[in-house]
Amino acid sequence: MVDYINIALKGIFIENMIFAYFLGMCSYLAVSKTVKTAVGLGAAVIFVLTVTVPVNWLLENYVLQAGALSWLGDEYATMDLSFLSFIMFIAVIASIVQLVEMLVEKFAPALYGALGIFLPLIAVNCSILGGALFMQERQYSTIGEATTFAVGSGIGWFLAIVAIAAIREKIKYSNVPAPLRGLGITFIITGLMGIAFMSFSGISL
Amino acid sequence: MAVNKDKNSYTFLFAIIMVVIVGSCLAAISMGLKPAQEKNQVVKKKMDILNAIKIQDVSRLNAIELYDKYILEDECIVLNEKGEITGAVAFDVDIQKEYKNKNLPVAERQYPLYVAEIDGSKKYVIPVIGSGLWGPIWGYIAVSEDKKTIFGATFDHKGETPGLGAEIKQSFFTNQYDNETISEDGNYKKIKVVKDGSGTEPQKVDGITGGTITSKGVEEMVDRTLQVYVNYFNK
Amino acid sequence: MSENQEKIKAPKEPLFSKKNKRLVIEPLNDNNPVTLQVLGICSALAITVSIEQALVMTGSVFFVLGLGNVIISMLRNLIPSRIRIIVQLVVVAALVIIVNEILKAFLPDMAEKLSVFVGLIITNCIIMGRFEAFAMANKPWPSFLDAVGNTLGYGFVLVLVSLMREILGAGKFFGIPLFGDRIENTGLYKLGYMDNNFIILAPFALFAVAIIIWVQRARNKSLIEEH
């Protein structure tokens, strides 16, 4: 249990997707002008990460890794398909996003209204593929750990985008030097927030 | 173009052809480059071992040659947790994989020992692996012929903070391990990593300022691994 | 912009016509993919710790974008529109795998340092963005030039940021110490100079990009945003 809490907290604060690795910056910058849309996109990221990372974990452990195919029989035990992992991960992500979009539209129209327009954006959000690649690199040993990591990173991303959106809403009223308005000042604020988040890095759980 | 691009059959055909072409291209490239990639990993491992016994000017080009020159392949052995020799081949043991594999009981981990000979004196090279702040850290410790003091050490890491934890690979940190005692009168001695400049005991190494967790990780991995080997040395 | 480019159809047009030149030059300043179109930032920030890494990353992106743009452009009349995004993804992913395998085979140390960020070229928005906005509507040659221009714009920002970070943060240029030996305490370090370790850390990359944006927009007032 402690392990899981550890992984989740690490994902949210210490190894925050935005502040520690800059993943998903494109949509983070583009969709953070108002808190409302930021909440929508953030929720969609949590959702998609939570669904895709476990699926990719299964794929990694039962298909792609060296020796992962041994459940098919001994003659497959030496197969190493790991060179296909990028293409498989992105295919899984793209198709799951598509599937989720259709399911949500059919069964939860209210949710679709809130998340709908963000879902297609997410297929090419670096944080989703980043989640899958970190999962592969860190070799989480159970699907539970992988899922916890996914939820944690999703929440971390959500926090980051909602926080920056709230600041950007207020910064309209400040007298920012003209050339820095918009993109420039957002970069600087993100940098400052990153420094603040660095203070979590000494925590060992 | 006479083909109707919106027909389902066309879409499927296109998708199938694409998958076949892309799949076979990637498979061919991956197979073709595999030997080079595997060789790189072997060379890297040999370079690390050579660096631990302080061979100068090791590069990717001469690593294999130097390795064959200095390492006594026949004397390299693999130990188990209790310090007994198993029959496995030292170079084939992947301790990084075993360390990460949580399904493998700690008691079943393997402990390879490389034996080198430089100018007639023997050195024993011990691989170590542990966890830093951000990810795995690892290294090689070379023990002198008397099996009681450290001859040299190297450390490396995956993604420690540059300027802080990442400094463990710098010589000013690793050189502190030289000539430290690991065993006295048949007893194992722990090497402590302490805050810069503090501590009075002889068995200490100054940690990295601002890289406490990584430094502690080094202490833990060296301590945990050396116990097993000292056990074997003292037999 | 794409309708505009559709006019480049005249077969007699020279390889480096005015329009084609513009394709290469524009992304370098007034239409920079990183600082203006806000594309491909993830990797721009994460790997700019050293100049060498920045150059290898730019090279990888050039390989993927250049080849990808040409392939997509050649196939543009064959790709079924319903699955075009998937087709584009497959092309990017396949090219990235090739880059990754090549790096692992010939530049193993670099491959280790770049780790997951090579894989993340797949979701580098510059690539998908250029496929969709340019290569799908243009012939191979202009598409290739478009790739050259955008990679240059991307690489320009990367190299600039990494220059600041490597020189000020690590006191090195291409891994060669500039100011003497820090540990031996020679050269400038003897006079009390210290490397600014903060500059190596992640947040400074954001400040560096902000500085570039500031300079760029101060020179060209038309680029200034309202908020």
Side-chain angles (χ1 to χ4, degrees), chain B residues 1 5-8 10-11 14-15 18 22 25-26 29-30 33-34 36-37 40 44 60 138 156-158 161-164 167 170-172, chain C residues 49 75-83 86-87 90 94-95 97-98 100-102 104-109 112 115 172 182-183 197 200-201:
Chain B
M1 206 124 314
K5 283 202 293 170
D6 290 327
K7 269 195 359 209
N8 277 341
Y10 178 81
T11 308
F14 187 91
M18 182 179 74
V22 169
C25 277
L26 291 181
I29 287 175
S30 156
L33 294 177
K34 191 126 220 171
Q37 294 174 359
N40 283 333
K44 177 88 182 116
R60 281 194 178 272
W138 61 91
D156 209 343
H157 63 95
K158 179 115 202 174
T161 321
L164 302 174
E167 301 282 288
Q170 303 290 349
S171 55
F172 76 87
Chain C
V49 186
L75 293 177
R76 70 187 187 282
N77 293 322
L78 292 173
I79 298 174
S81 57
R82 261 186 297 170
I83 56 165
I86 304 274
V87 174
V90 168
L95 289 170
I97 292 175
I98 296 175
N100 192 34
E101 297 286 316
I102 292 177
K104 268 201 228 155
F106 300 112
L107 291 170
D109 297 323
E112 209 164 85
S115 72
K172 288 178 186 158
R182 176 161 48 104
I183 294 144
N197 277 336
I200 296 250
L201 300 179

Side-chain angles (χ1 to χ4, degrees), chain C residues 71-224:
Chain C
I71 292 174
I72 292 286
S73 160
M74 286 197 297
L75 293 177
R76 70 187 187 282
N77 293 322
L78 292 173
I79 298 174
S81 57
R82 261 186 297 170
I83 56 165
R84 69 169 199 286
I85 299 283
I86 304 274
V87 174
Q88 290 168 7
L89 273 178
V90 168
V91 170
V92 189
L95 289 170
V96 169
I97 292 175
I98 296 175
V99 169
N100 192 34
E101 297 286 316
I102 292 177
L103 282 181
K104 268 201 228 155
F106 300 112
L107 291 170
D109 297 323
M110 193 44 78
E112 209 164 85
K113 276 187 210 145
L114 294 174
S115 72
V116 297
F117 291 98
V118 178
L120 288 171
I121 297 177
I122 297 174
T123 45
N124 188 322
C125 335
I126 294 182
I127 292 172
M128 290 292 283
R130 293 328 288 171
F131 281 8
E132 181 73 9
F134 198 90
M136 283 300 283
N138 286 286
K139 288 193 165 177
W141 176 243
S143 302
F144 180 73
L145 290 181
D146 181 70
V148 173
N150 277 286
T151 319
L152 284 177
Y154 171 78
F156 173 69
V157 175
L158 244 67
V159 169
L160 215 59
V161 174
S162 62
L163 266 176
M164 288 191 224
R165 291 180 80 181
E166 193 174 344
I167 294 179
L168 297 174
K172 288 178 186 158
F173 180 73
F174 275 106
I176 304 159
L178 281 182
F179 312 126
D181 196 309
R182 176 161 48 104
I183 294 144
E184 304 281 315
N185 202 16
T186 59
L188 269 185
Y189 296 101
K190 210 175 169 189
L191 304 173
Y193 176 80
M194 296 258 282
D195 287 325
N196 191 342
N197 277 336
F198 165 69
I199 286 178
I200 296 250
L201 300 179
F204 181 79
L206 291 158
F207 298 145
V209 176
I211 293 167
I212 296 172
I213 291 175
W214 194 348
V215 171
Q216 195 176 29
R217 296 190 182 182
R219 283 173 50 198
N220 188 345
K221 299 267 192 260
S222 65
L223 301 174
I224 291 172

Side-chain angles (χ1 to χ4, degrees), chain B residues 80-140:
Chain B
N80 65 12
E81 169 105 70
K82 297 189 197 78
E84 296 155 355
I85 300 173
T86 67
V89 180
F91 202 80
D92 295 342
V93 177
D94 188 344
I95 57 163
Q96 195 147 351
K97 212 171 179 177
E98 290 186 0
Y99 183 73
K100 275 188 195 160
N101 184 354
K102 286 179 191 148
N103 298 325
L104 186 85
V106 175
E108 281 174 28
R109 283 189 190 149
Q110 303 187 78
Y111 296 86
L113 179 69
Y114 304 93
V115 183
E117 194 173 58
I118 308 170
D119 304 331
S121 84
K122 279 194 178 155
K123 313 281 179 227
Y124 302 89
V125 184
I126 297 165
V128 291
I129 172 115
S131 309
L133 172 62
W134 294 94
I137 50 177
W138 61 91
Y140 289 87

Side-chain angles (χ1 to χ4, degrees), chain A residues 2 10 36 38 73 77 79 82 93 95 112-113 118 145-146 148 156 159-160 180:
Chain A
V2 180
K10 246 186 167 173
K36 205 170 157 239
M79 291 263 272
S82 50
I93 290 167
S95 40
Y112 184 75
F118 299 115
E145 284 184 11
T148 319
L159 267 183
L180 271 181

